[in-house]
Amino acid sequence: MSHQARPQPPRWAQRLLAWIAAAHLREEILGDLDELFHQRAKRQGYPKARWLYWLDVLLLLHPRLWRRPPDQSAFLHQYPSDSSQPFFLRPAMLRNYLTIAFRTLSRNKLYTALNIAGLTFGITCFLLIGLYLFDELTFDQHHSRANRIYRVIEHKVVKGEATTLAAASYKLAAESGKTIAQIENTTRLSRIGRANLINPENPVNFQETVTNADENFLSIFDFPLIQGDKYTALKEPNSIVINEDLAMRLFGHTQVLGKTLQFSHLDAPLKVTGVLKNHLRNSSFDFNSLVSEATYQNTDFYKQTVASGWSSADFSVYVLLRPNTNAETVSSQLTRLVLANVKPEPGTHLSYRLQALSDIHLHSEGIIDGARNTNVEAMAQGSLFYIRIFLFIALFVLGIAGINYMNLSTARASNRLKEIGVRKSIGAQRSQLIYQFLVEALLITVLSLVAALLLVNVMLPFFNSFVKKQLTLGWGTDYRIWLMTLGATLLIGLLSGSYPALLLSGFKPVLLLKGMKINPRGSLSLRKVLVVFQFTISTVLMIGTIVLYWQVRFMNTTDLGFNKEQLVVIDVNTGTARDRFETIKADMAKIPTVKNVSVTSRVPGEWKMIRTVKMHPPGKADDQQISYLIGADKDFLKTFEVDLLKGRNFVNPADSMSVLLNETAARLFNLTEPSGQWLEIPTLSWGGEFRPVNPDNTPFKVRVIGIVKDFHFQSLKAKIEPLVLAYHQNPIHGIDYYTVRIDAYGISQTLEKLQSILQKADPDEPFEYHFLDQQLAVFYQEDARRQTLLIWVALATIFIACLGLFGLATYSTEQRTKEVGVRKVLGASTVSLATLLSGDFLKLVLVANGIAFPIAWWVTGQWLQGYAYHIDLEWWMFALAGVVAVLIAFLTVSYQSIKAALVNPVRSLRSE
């Protein structure tokens, strides 16, 4: 049997009245009108009741219904408003939430302190690593047109051997801007060597890198000038632009426009036409002076370079593309332009591509930094691998800090169940409770952020000194860093507070008021999973730190095949110091504290480029082998203590066509006994393409007189390559260094005597020296820096994890007070009780170790593959990290466990 639907008042009339009426009157008026409507519908019929309802609504449209009573705030808490602003964003509600949050936090001082300390350390690590990563990822982006600036890269394959070089020809730079419409402008840069730079008014020599650039360079790049015009500063011959630092060293001030300087390799003085601001640290360019390219136009070197045509690679070429230009299209056009003007030799493939300016720092692996003399250091490169590693570490540390809050909040849930039950029973909605818990989480996070910002600013000077950067965190900091900071804070606050909020607000009030307990003993509870996760990450970081430490130690202490200790390496910078080397060397050898002296073109551990050559046996030009070459005198083996395995050493200038091979090079030519076998060296390379040794294309013929034991002349990251030791009088590379083995005592006096001898022979020669062992350590400086950073991150991670574990142990012992009392009454010892209370947590750490070991084994194994010579992963490295993790966890929880076990059972049972 069907029932007729009960008539309802006009919907639009109800909505109108609800919208107009004040909140405190709305419910009463609507109820009275609804009751009157139903009475009329029953007596007079539905249509008339609807008409009369509309009439009543219109009659009630009186201003007094719109006004709120003077004590309207009392009603605001009882009646919802139709305001467009959400209730939880109203000032009154926010004040209420914050008041309750502060009360709750102040009542639980220990847990509040643990949460704030953990989050503070987590945010501090996140910010420091984040600042470092942001600096690395924004290299060269301070140029306003960085997204349109590209570097020209040459890729050449000769008979299957590929070379990728960041260099191109003069003709390509000059003609591409004219013939390719998508190129707005081009510029050329060349680092032609090092020379003495002198201020005639204060003749003190400064050995500087000579960098020349064309007139477009300063107009394409944004290197700010504090003096001078960027459009004309490099236009005229004999012009030089210097930076603030060099101006202060040369003149003592920066107001130097129009002053003159003298480079030792140039006849004419140079006029200062501009002063640059010092470079930002996150710039790939590190020049402190620029000489105008026009200065060299009349030199033989420049004329030869220009005449070398399209196939040379003597300049770093940068192009500025027009807006919305496809770089790949321009790359193809550059290749076609070059191939239209030069025909590669048979078996040679030549192509060009453009590399974005912002990619140079982190994406130049395998690209040779060309267009520079071999005594000029290459551009510093970053490591994308380590960028990713430290990004993950920063997120993990921050995540662990958030997990701490989540763990401690859920652990303390039982203490707030009655509060939640009372609030829900008097009408609190679940959403209001969720907002309350989220406000508490955000409040703790904001307090932690404030503490972290203070801590970061205290630590930044030391951190900058450590990472060699100029990081800042203040009002002038890039807005993206602040967005990252605030976003991460808000995210960690919401995520860490969301689970406790959703968990605690979901219980029924009846069960809460009846004394319901949250059962924390589930074997797969989220809390246990989070503890395992924390210690898994901590153990992985500890293992990584141990492996990195031993690898760095291995690189610094392994036998290199020569004795690196007490070797002083002195740069040769002038022709006089080269021409008179025999006299200088003899005078140095007379110093009592000097044991041996040698002259060489390069030394092991060289930061400058070691030249490479192609060699082959006579008549076998198709069987060319690539080898490094160092020029050396007869005292090289004795000074460096390199073992001569077979044959003989150099004796006198008659050996100018003789060479010694290392074991690796000897194997290339199947030489086991050196007996004067002839080899031919037709070409050499300074880091770019190979070119003839002699102008007439005739090879340099040498005979093998000895084989020396392999020694590491490069970083241990690279395997030992073939090496030729040629007599210092050779057409490939003359001498560039004096290497002196000295006694360990009286070092400063010895250095003074060496300087006196050198400057007596040539007063213009600056005394530049370094100890070889220190120079070799530079190879592994970045690894040592990462090792230290990883140690601190691991310590911070462990500290944060222990804070959470301490809080959970404290809560656990509080919840088991009665159980401990009963066990003591029944005869349990203090040791057994402490073991019982600590056991659950130690089991979790052991599980974390079991997960961490295979992860750490894979990660560290992959990292070690980047070294040609590395340590082996040993079982004790993993065992040590595991034992340390267990020991730290035990010490963390044992305090609370022993404290609970020592409590008098009478007190605990009476209080319970």
Side-chain angles (χ1 to χ4, degrees):
M1 181 177 179
S2 62
H3 295 275
Q4 187 175 0
R6 188 181 184 190
Q8 297 295 325
R11 184 178 300 176
W12 285 105
Q14 283 183 312
R15 290 181 178 178
L16 176 63
L17 187 59
W19 183 65
I20 293 295
H24 68 289
L25 300 174
R26 185 184 308 124
E27 185 176 352
E28 182 179 355
I29 294 174
L30 287 172
D32 290 344
L33 286 182
D34 284 357
E35 185 178 352
L36 186 58
F37 170 80
H38 291 300
Q39 291 175 359
R40 287 170 175 170
K42 187 175 181 181
R43 292 196 307 265
Q44 300 175 349
Y46 177 63
K48 189 171 183 179
R50 284 176 58 85
W51 181 81
L52 290 173
Y53 190 95
W54 268 107
L55 181 61
D56 290 337
V57 170
L58 294 175
L59 291 174
L60 286 170
L61 297 181
H62 192 279
R64 73 174 178 226
L65 294 177
W66 310 341
R67 295 194 299 270
R68 301 189 183 280
D71 59 339
Q72 61 177 345
S73 60
F75 292 88
L76 285 173
H77 296 288
Q78 302 176 37
Y79 297 93
S81 169
D82 285 337
S83 171
S84 59
Q85 188 179 36
F87 74 90
F88 59 87
L89 292 180
R90 295 177 203 157
M93 292 302 297
L94 287 176
R95 280 197 303 271
N96 183 51
Y97 288 148
L98 290 172
T99 300
I100 295 174
F102 274 112
R103 289 174 181 171
T104 303
L105 298 180
S106 62
R107 280 199 305 266
N108 300 279
K109 293 182 177 61
L110 175 62
Y111 292 93
T112 300
L114 290 175
N115 279 324
I116 290 178
L119 285 171
T120 297
F121 272 87
I123 295 173
T124 299
C125 291
F126 176 80
L127 286 177
L128 288 174
I129 297 175
L131 287 170
Y132 174 83
L133 296 181
F134 183 84
D135 187 83
E136 286 287 297
L137 293 170
T138 55
F139 248 72
D140 299 313
Q141 292 185 17
H142 53 278
H143 301 284
S144 60
R145 295 177 291 187
N147 62 327
R148 294 198 285 133
I149 300 175
Y150 291 81
R151 181 170 70 166
V152 177
I153 305 295
E154 178 193 84
H155 185 70
K156 180 182 287 188
V157 180
V158 180
K159 296 180 180 179
E161 296 178 1
T163 303
T164 303
L165 183 67
S169 66
Y170 176 93
K171 292 287 182 65
L172 181 144
E175 298 299 324
S176 59
K178 301 175 183 178
T179 58
I180 300 176
Q182 292 92 332
I183 295 178
E184 183 176 318
N185 206 348
T186 65
T187 186
R188 298 179 294 276
L189 191 75
S190 180
R191 291 158 288 170
I192 60 176
R194 302 173 74 232
N196 293 335
L197 185 61
I198 305 169
N199 170 14
E201 299 174 3
N202 181 25
V204 177
N205 291 350
F206 291 93
Q207 183 75 193
E208 302 295 334
T209 298
V210 182
T211 305
N212 67 68
D214 67 7
E215 60 184 287
N216 297 329
F217 184 78
L218 293 177
S219 60
I220 290 178
F221 292 94
D222 295 326
F223 292 107
L225 284 159
I226 59 175
Q227 284 186 289
D229 181 1
K230 67 179 181 180
Y231 296 104
T232 60
L234 294 173
K235 189 173 184 178
E236 300 297 328
N238 303 318
S239 300
I240 185 172
V241 175
I242 62 177
N243 69 356
E244 294 173 287
D245 176 68
L246 185 57
M248 290 299 296
R249 285 192 285 132
L250 288 167
F251 298 98
H253 57 88
T254 58
Q255 304 300 313
V256 297
L257 206 64
K259 298 281 188 179
T260 57
L261 295 172
Q262 183 71 55
F263 255 128
S264 57
H265 72 295
L266 293 173
D267 296 330
L270 300 172
K271 180 181 178 182
V272 178
T273 54
V275 179
L276 293 165
K277 290 189 68 175
N278 290 332
H279 298 315
L280 297 174
R281 284 290 182 93
N282 61 343
S283 173
S284 295
F285 299 93
D286 62 351
F287 57 82
N288 53 23
S289 67
L290 290 172
V291 180
S292 65
E293 185 183 85
T295 303
Y296 298 91
Q297 285 181 347
N298 294 322
T299 63
D300 294 336
F301 165 79
Y302 189 84
K303 293 177 181 178
Q304 181 183 354
T305 300
V306 174
S308 61
W310 291 83
S311 60
S312 66
D314 297 311
F315 293 91
S316 296
V317 178
Y318 296 86
V319 300
L320 175 66
L321 300 184
R322 299 189 186 279
N324 303 317
T325 297
N326 186 293
E328 293 184 2
T329 302
V330 177
S331 298
S332 301
Q333 291 176 311
L334 286 172
T335 301
R336 289 196 296 269
L337 176 64
V338 173
L339 294 179
N341 290 275
V342 63
K343 185 178 180 180
E345 296 179 359
T348 300
H349 175 76
L350 183 65
S351 63
Y352 292 85
R353 68 177 177 89
L354 297 181
Q355 181 187 31
L357 178 64
S358 57
D359 288 343
I360 291 177
H361 183 63
L362 293 176
H363 300 275
S364 293
E365 186 176 356
I367 299 176
I368 299 171
D369 182 19
R372 63 186 177 95
N373 192 291
T374 54
N375 64 357
V376 176
E377 193 169 359
M379 282 184 176
Q381 299 297 322
S383 171
L384 195 59
F385 172 76
Y386 284 105
I387 292 293
R388 291 167 179 159
I389 290 293
F390 285 113
L391 175 61
F392 284 126
I393 288 175
L395 295 176
F396 276 138
V397 172
L398 190 62
I400 285 175
I403 287 171
N404 259 3
Y405 179 82
M406 195 181 300
N407 260 346
L408 293 175
S409 296
T410 54
R412 298 288 297 177
S414 297
N415 292 354
R416 303 192 66 177
L417 293 181
K418 286 189 177 180
E419 172 200 341
I420 298 166
V422 170
R423 293 180 66 181
K424 294 191 81 170
S425 65
I426 62 175
Q429 301 175 4
R430 187 183 184 189
S431 60
Q432 292 173 315
L433 293 173
I434 290 174
Y435 293 136
Q436 175 64 58
F437 289 119
L438 289 178
V439 166
E440 291 181 15
L442 288 173
L443 178 60
I444 287 181
T445 310
V446 170
L447 292 175
S448 303
L449 174 63
V450 173
L453 291 175
L454 295 174
L455 191 57
V456 166
N457 278 286
V458 170
M459 296 177 65
L460 265 180
F462 307 100
F463 189 71
N464 280 331
S465 175
F466 172 66
V467 298
K468 308 299 181 186
K469 290 186 178 291
Q470 296 173 334
L471 308 176
T472 59
L473 188 61
W475 296 115
T477 302
D478 192 296
Y479 74 95
R480 290 171 290 181
I481 293 177
W482 284 114
L483 288 178
M484 174 192 72
T485 302
L486 296 176
T489 302
L490 181 63
L491 184 64
I492 198 66
L494 292 175
L495 290 180
S496 59
S498 59
Y499 176 70
L502 294 172
L503 173 69
L504 300 179
S505 63
F507 297 121
K508 295 182 179 180
V510 176
L511 297 176
L512 295 173
L513 294 175
K514 283 184 177 181
M516 185 197 82
K517 295 290 184 181
I518 299 177
N519 179 19
R521 298 181 180 272
S523 59
L524 293 177
S525 67
L526 179 62
R527 201 179 314 152
K528 291 183 178 180
V529 171
L530 295 179
V531 170
V532 169
F533 175 77
Q534 283 182 309
F535 274 89
T536 298
I537 299 302
S538 301
T539 305
V540 169
L541 289 175
M542 277 194 288
I543 295 171
T545 303
I546 293 170
V547 172
L548 182 55
Y549 168 79
W550 282 98
Q551 176 62 21
V552 173
R553 185 176 181 275
F554 168 78
M555 292 186 295
N556 285 322
T557 59
T558 192
D559 181 15
L560 300 177
F562 66 93
N563 184 1
K564 65 180 179 180
E565 305 299 332
Q566 303 304 128
L567 284 178
V568 180
V569 180
I570 304 171
D571 279 26
V572 177
N573 296 302
T574 65
T576 303
R578 286 185 177 87
D579 297 339
R580 301 182 58 186
F581 81 90
E582 291 181 347
T583 302
I584 295 172
K585 180 182 169 184
D587 290 341
M588 288 179 174
K590 294 176 183 178
I591 299 174
T593 52
V594 171
K595 296 180 177 180
N596 300 107
V597 185
S598 172
V599 291
T600 57
S601 62
R602 290 290 181 262
V603 294
E606 181 58 66
W607 60 268
K608 299 176 184 177
M609 190 179 298
I610 301 177
R611 297 185 183 181
T612 54
V613 295
K614 287 185 177 181
M615 300 191 304
H616 62 82
K620 296 183 178 180
D622 293 334
D623 187 23
Q624 295 189 7
Q625 304 292 340
I626 297 178
S627 174
Y628 286 93
L629 184 142
I630 293 178
D633 65 358
K634 63 180 181 180
D635 294 313
F636 173 82
L637 299 184
K638 182 168 58 175
T639 302
F640 284 85
E641 299 180 10
V642 174
D643 293 336
L644 179 66
L645 299 179
K646 295 180 180 180
R648 67 174 180 85
N649 190 14
F650 301 123
V651 177
N652 52 48
D655 285 322
S656 60
M657 298 179 66
S658 301
V659 296
L660 306 175
L661 302 182
N662 71 349
E663 293 174 280
T664 303
R667 284 193 293 270
L668 283 180
F669 298 101
N670 298 317
L671 295 178
T672 57
E673 291 292 336
S675 56
Q677 297 94 332
W678 288 95
L679 296 173
E680 294 183 358
I681 304 177
T683 57
L684 64 90
S685 170
W686 295 354
E689 62 181 14
F690 283 87
R691 56 187 67 187
V693 171
N694 295 311
D696 58 0
N697 288 335
T698 58
F700 174 44
K701 296 181 179 181
V702 297
R703 59 192 178 94
V704 181
I705 62 171
I707 298 175
V708 300
K709 186 177 180 180
D710 276 344
F711 61 91
H712 294 276
F713 58 94
Q714 299 182 101
S715 164
L716 287 173
K717 295 179 181 179
K719 65 180 181 179
I720 295 178
E721 299 285 353
L723 175 67
V724 175
L725 292 174
Y727 196 65
H728 62 85
Q729 294 175 344
N730 67 79
I732 296 174
H733 201 178
I735 65 171
D736 253 352
Y737 294 107
Y738 294 96
T739 302
V740 185
R741 182 171 294 282
I742 63 176
D743 285 333
Y745 60 90
I747 293 177
S748 59
Q749 293 85 350
T750 302
L751 292 175
E752 290 176 0
K753 293 176 182 178
L754 291 172
Q755 180 179 5
S756 175
I757 292 171
L758 194 64
Q759 293 187 341
K760 179 182 177 182
D762 185 357
D764 293 332
E765 173 73 9
F767 187 64
E768 288 189 316
Y769 73 93
H770 61 263
F771 286 91
L772 187 59
D773 57 342
Q774 296 175 355
Q775 184 63 40
L776 287 167
V778 173
F779 277 142
Y780 319 115
Q781 195 173 53
E782 282 301 314
D783 292 304
R785 189 175 292 130
R786 289 166 187 142
Q787 169 199 325
T788 305
L789 186 58
L790 195 60
I791 289 173
W792 283 108
V793 169
L795 290 175
T797 305
I798 294 168
F799 175 74
I800 294 169
C802 288
L803 285 178
L805 196 61
F806 180 80
L808 290 177
T810 302
Y811 175 74
S812 177
T813 54
E814 288 177 1
Q815 296 299 303
R816 303 177 71 175
T817 302
K818 185 174 182 179
E819 176 190 345
V820 171
V822 172
R823 288 180 179 273
K824 286 205 74 172
V825 169
L826 295 176
S829 66
T830 300
V831 174
S832 64
L833 289 173
T835 304
L836 173 69
L837 295 173
S838 304
D840 290 341
F841 296 104
L842 296 182
K843 289 176 185 176
L844 297 179
V845 178
L846 290 174
V847 171
N849 284 345
I851 299 173
F853 289 167
I855 295 174
W857 176 82
W858 183 83
V859 172
T860 54
Q862 291 296 310
W863 176 73
L864 288 173
Q865 294 306 311
Y867 295 86
Y869 304 93
H870 57 76
I871 61 171
D872 295 323
L873 293 175
E874 303 284 351
W875 65 268
W876 62 264
M877 298 176 180
F878 299 84
L880 176 62
V883 169
V884 170
V886 172
L887 183 62
I888 290 173
F890 175 75
L891 293 175
T892 302
V893 301
S894 61
Y895 170 76
Q896 289 296 337
S897 301
I898 295 173
K899 181 181 176 182
L902 291 174
V903 173
N904 190 327
V906 175
R907 290 178 53 193
S908 59
L909 293 175
R910 181 173 57 201
S911 63
E912 289 288 330

